[in-house]
Amino acid sequence: MHTLFTWLGNRDIENMEQEQNAAIVSLATKSEVPFDKIVILSNKDEAKWDSFERFLKKRMAMISRPSEDIKIHLAQIQSPIDYQSISVETEKWITKLSEESDTLSINLTSGTPAMTTLSVLHGKGKSNTRFVQSSPKNVIEEVEIPLDFGKEYVKSASKNIAHTATSLPKIQKAFSELTAKSKTMTDVVEKAKRIAASEVPALILGETGTGKELMAHAIHKGSLRGNKPIRVVNCGALAENLVDSTLFGHKKGAFTGADKDFAGLFEQANGGTLFLDEVGELKPDIQVKLLRALQQGEITRLGDTKTINVDVRVIAATHQDLTSLIEQGDFREDLFYRLAVGIINMPPLRDRLEDIPVIVEQLTDQINESGSKHPDYISKKVSENGIKFILSQSWLGNIRELWSTLNRAFLWTDAKLVGEKELSHAIINRRVGAQSNYVRLSFNDKVDIVQLTENYQKKYVEAALKASGNVKKHATQMLGLKDHQTLTNWMKRLGIENDKADNQQ
């Protein structure tokens, strides 16, 4: 048996009233293989159903095609665009008709986009379905839909999870949304608000992963330039031969491949803000041009002699010690003082422990939201002992490292509660080597090298005990010592008292 399943469209009714064919009639009369049964769904114009059935049967009888089993059925849907109720009705009918028929043809022309979409989704899963449509000139076409929707959906959901995990977490979008329960971070936000309200350049300092770019966006949004553009560039990621052109633009013919004039980021950000991330990576010649742009509000495109006036607020950031770079001759002192009018020191995560539970909750919500689109994903929470474990770690990579660790922990378990065990397995082990900072001594300087060494040892022993949850066996392994008795001896020698330390693993 060959069956046609279709929704009743407005055009089908309108054309009937003018004694003209539309999609349903065209499909029924022109199908290469005649239909033995035609099922039409509708939720409106019920007074016209009998007329349409008679009209269709008449057209079928004129060409000697089966016309006995043609019927319009009331569709129990909320509205023509209510996906949930349309899905229930569509699945019910397609499942029933597919089981009864040798071939089930599904009309994609009549009905609303919601009706068509759900007809495809439910019909694609049946082995004996085909999709047909009618063109505006009533030409019949069979539609090939090559997608496996189940696989494509899972693939799309998996890509979304991967994209979320490898992107930066979206925690701080404006000052009102900054996570700042700790006094350390509250003070930083208050200082940033003052800087935002002014027009001074700003320099954001802090370790990698502390959220310097997020703070820059907050300062821009909270300033009088908040409705103007902000442009962002990572100076460390720019090819050396493209830095000048990227920042200041170029004229046509300035270099091979410069086939047209190009407005650099300073011009693009005119009236707004330019955020220079990792500003310490800029070469001296670019630093000179940047200084001129800050002092005089002027830039010159590469390959041009004409100056261009720009009104741009510069916010710079770096994880490097710029004062050390100045001493080494790698960063201009005059540029440093020009940038460092409004200085913000982003605190590391370990210095804002009160903020961590809130940050973990925010990151967890983002991971769960991303994963919720995947059919096999199980929503998760971090347990109390998981939070305690997070609070005990130093997080050298700060929020970025915490984000990455949570993503791995959530990926590797199906448990609804993620605790210390899952998180400890998800942390990437890194080997902490000796510091390579250059030591300077003047001729008459004196140091107590034994005391310096012991202070250094004490800090690492205390850090290992904290990170291990006061488990001596694990702390011993972290420090590379022979056994936990050796660690006990070190603790006595260094004057470390820790009643919580446990010899067990």
Side-chain angles (χ1 to χ4, degrees):
M1 183 170 70
H2 188 194
T3 303
L4 174 66
F5 169 78
T6 179
W7 289 85
L8 183 62
N10 292 333
R11 182 61 61 84
D12 294 299
I13 295 292
E14 293 167 1
N15 282 21
M16 173 202 71
E17 293 174 336
Q18 300 174 22
E19 290 289 319
Q20 294 179 358
N21 295 346
I24 294 176
V25 177
S26 297
L27 289 167
T29 57
K30 296 182 180 181
S31 173
E32 187 174 335
V33 179
F35 296 111
D36 303 297
K37 180 176 183 175
I38 298 177
V39 173
I40 306 169
L41 299 188
S42 181
N43 73 317
K44 65 174 191 173
D45 298 324
E46 194 166 353
K48 300 177 182 180
W49 290 2
D50 287 341
S51 298
F52 187 82
E53 286 180 3
R54 288 195 300 271
F55 177 71
L56 178 54
K57 288 179 178 180
K58 179 182 176 181
R59 286 289 196 269
M60 299 287 278
M62 288 172 61
I63 57 174
S64 302
R65 289 202 165 189
S67 58
E68 296 80 14
D69 199 353
I70 296 174
K71 186 170 178 58
I72 301 175
H73 301 267
L74 177 64
Q76 302 293 334
I77 61 176
Q78 298 296 320
S79 77
I81 58 173
D82 181 63
Y83 278 82
Q84 185 170 356
S85 59
I86 294 172
S87 177
V88 172
E89 197 74 3
T90 304
E91 182 182 24
K92 178 183 73 176
W93 277 100
I94 287 180
T95 300
K96 177 179 182 295
L97 296 174
S98 173
E99 291 173 353
E100 295 176 354
S101 310
D102 297 311
T103 302
L104 174 61
S105 293
I106 299 175
N107 175 21
L108 302 183
T109 306
S110 302
T112 64
M115 294 169 179
T116 301
T117 300
L118 291 162
S119 293
V120 172
L121 285 172
H122 291 298
K124 187 66 178 167
K126 309 299 181 183
S127 60
N128 62 340
T129 55
R130 60 193 286 267
F131 300 98
V132 290
Q133 63 186 14
S134 173
S135 72
K137 295 183 179 180
N138 291 325
V139 175
I140 306 305
E141 302 172 343
E142 183 168 352
V143 183
E144 180 63 33
I145 302 177
L147 297 179
D148 181 326
F149 284 97
K151 288 182 179 178
E152 289 300 317
Y153 179 84
V154 172
K155 180 179 177 182
S156 175
S158 299
K159 282 186 175 181
N160 182 52
I161 292 173
H163 176 73
T164 302
T166 55
S167 301
L168 293 177
K170 302 171 184 175
I171 299 176
Q172 304 160 328
K173 300 175 183 177
F175 289 121
S176 61
E177 299 172 7
L178 285 169
T179 305
K181 294 186 69 176
S182 65
K183 186 177 187 308
T184 301
M185 194 61 187
T186 302
D187 290 345
V188 169
V189 170
E190 287 304 313
K191 183 182 289 187
K193 287 180 179 179
R194 290 176 178 271
I195 292 172
S198 70
E199 284 288 298
V200 299
L203 179 61
I204 305 174
L205 305 174
E207 298 175 5
T208 299
T210 50
K212 296 186 288 296
E213 182 175 341
L214 297 169
M215 177 58 81
H217 279 278
I219 291 172
H220 168 73
K221 190 174 180 180
S223 72
L224 296 175
R225 300 171 181 260
N227 62 343
K228 300 293 183 180
I230 179 172
R231 294 291 181 266
V232 178
V233 60
N234 186 323
C235 300
L238 289 173
E240 189 172 342
N241 60 334
L242 294 178
V243 177
D244 199 326
S245 171
T246 301
L247 291 178
F248 307 108
H250 63 251
K251 291 290 290 181
K252 179 180 178 180
F255 52 84
T256 303
D259 54 358
K260 59 182 179 181
D261 290 354
F262 172 72
L265 290 174
F266 265 94
E267 289 181 75
Q268 294 176 36
N270 194 27
T273 303
L274 177 60
F275 175 54
L276 302 174
D277 198 8
E278 297 304 337
V279 69
E281 300 289 340
L282 291 177
K283 298 299 179 184
D285 56 331
I286 301 298
Q287 292 178 31
V288 172
K289 297 188 73 170
L290 176 57
L291 181 63
R292 181 185 175 193
L294 287 167
Q295 289 178 333
Q296 302 173 19
E298 293 179 349
I299 62 166
T300 303
R301 288 183 177 181
L302 189 63
D304 198 3
T305 56
K306 183 180 69 174
T307 59
I308 300 172
N309 292 323
V310 290
D311 173 24
V312 176
R313 181 185 193 175
V314 172
I315 300 176
T318 182
H319 73 282
Q320 300 185 73
D321 183 352
L322 291 184
T323 55
S324 294
L325 293 180
I326 291 170
E327 290 180 16
Q328 298 165 21
D330 294 327
F331 200 84
R332 294 181 63 95
E333 187 173 12
D334 48 2
L335 175 59
F336 170 76
Y337 286 115
R338 187 71 189 182
L339 289 171
V341 180
I343 294 182
I344 294 176
N345 284 287
M346 292 297 291
L349 200 54
R350 59 188 173 275
D351 288 347
R352 42 186 301 212
L353 296 181
E354 290 177 61
D355 297 329
I356 287 181
V358 180
I359 292 173
V360 169
E361 184 178 357
Q362 292 174 333
L363 300 183
T364 296
D365 288 344
Q366 289 182 49
I367 298 171
N368 284 333
E369 182 182 358
S370 173
S372 65
K373 303 297 183 182
H374 197 290
D376 296 328
Y377 183 78
I378 298 173
S379 185
K380 302 173 180 68
K381 286 181 64 176
V382 178
S383 67
E384 287 188 20
N385 79 326
I387 293 292
K388 289 180 181 177
F389 176 78
I390 290 172
L391 290 169
S392 73
Q393 301 306 301
S394 59
W395 302 111
L396 300 180
N398 294 292
I399 295 174
R400 196 171 299 163
E401 183 185 1
L402 175 58
W403 169 250
S404 178
T405 301
L406 286 172
N407 271 283
R408 280 191 299 277
F410 281 36
L411 176 65
W412 292 345
T413 183
D414 290 329
K416 292 183 178 181
L417 273 182
V418 175
E420 178 180 351
K421 178 182 176 183
E422 290 80 12
L423 290 164
S424 63
H425 290 164
I427 287 181
I428 293 177
N429 296 324
R430 66 171 97 196
R431 194 159 185 86
V432 181
Q435 291 185 346
S436 59
N437 294 342
Y438 181 70
V439 176
R440 295 179 177 85
L441 289 176
S442 298
F443 183 74
N444 290 318
D445 287 348
K446 293 183 179 180
V447 296
D448 186 335
I449 194 167
V450 174
Q451 187 63 51
L452 285 175
T453 304
E454 288 188 351
N455 288 342
Y456 202 63
Q457 291 174 348
K458 184 175 182 179
K459 288 179 181 179
Y460 271 94
V461 170
E462 290 174 337
L465 287 168
K466 180 182 178 183
S468 68
N470 293 306
V471 177
K472 282 188 178 181
K473 187 171 182 179
H474 188 65
T476 300
Q477 294 169 350
M478 291 177 66
L479 295 167
L481 298 178
K482 182 179 179 182
D483 50 41
H484 64 77
Q485 183 58 51
T486 304
L487 175 59
T488 300
N489 295 337
W490 276 48
M491 291 172 65
K492 290 179 181 178
R493 176 172 59 83
L494 297 170
I496 299 174
E497 295 182 3
N498 192 326
D499 296 334
K500 298 179 181 178
D502 186 356
N503 292 331
Q504 302 301 314
Q505 189 168 3

